[in-house]
Amino acid sequence: MRAGLDTMTVKGKGSHQFSKRTFHSLRYSFNSALANAGVRQEIRVKFTGHSSNAMNDRYTKLDQKPLGDAIKKLRNLDDE
């Protein structure tokens, strides 16, 4: 890979080999890391070059912590 990353090539069926680390997987990880760090979707769409928020959503996997933090914010609404 031109960036100097190990492509993690593994053996598939027969004589086929495939890479476990592709542009697609790096883009997915990058976008998810930004989302979990609290970066707004508007910014993530610009960084990743996605054509829409819906496409960006498909490339976002939230960790449990941001989801739990969101629930805590809902509980705090009762205090207001």
Side-chain angles (χ1 to χ4, degrees):
M1 192 178 240
R2 287 176 55 190
L5 297 173
D6 177 8
T7 59
M8 299 174 62
T9 303
V10 296
K11 185 171 175 32
K13 290 186 177 181
S15 62
H16 297 297
Q17 294 193 3
F18 65 96
S19 172
K20 291 177 72 175
R21 186 175 288 151
T22 63
F23 173 77
H24 173 82
S25 65
L26 292 173
R27 187 185 203 188
Y28 184 92
S29 297
F30 173 69
N31 189 57
S32 294
L34 290 173
N36 286 307
V39 175
R40 294 188 338 253
Q41 187 172 47
E42 173 187 345
I43 303 300
R44 291 186 285 119
V45 167
K46 291 199 180 286
F47 277 153
T48 59
H50 288 131
S51 58
S52 67
N53 287 349
M55 181 58 70
N56 189 264
D57 287 342
R58 293 178 66 187
Y59 279 83
T60 305
K61 181 175 188 278
L62 292 176
D63 291 336
Q64 293 299 313
K65 184 178 180 336
L67 296 173
D69 290 347
I71 296 299
K72 288 177 187 172
K73 287 180 182 178
L74 288 174
R75 289 182 189 146
N76 290 338
L77 291 177
D78 288 339
D79 296 338
E80 294 178 6

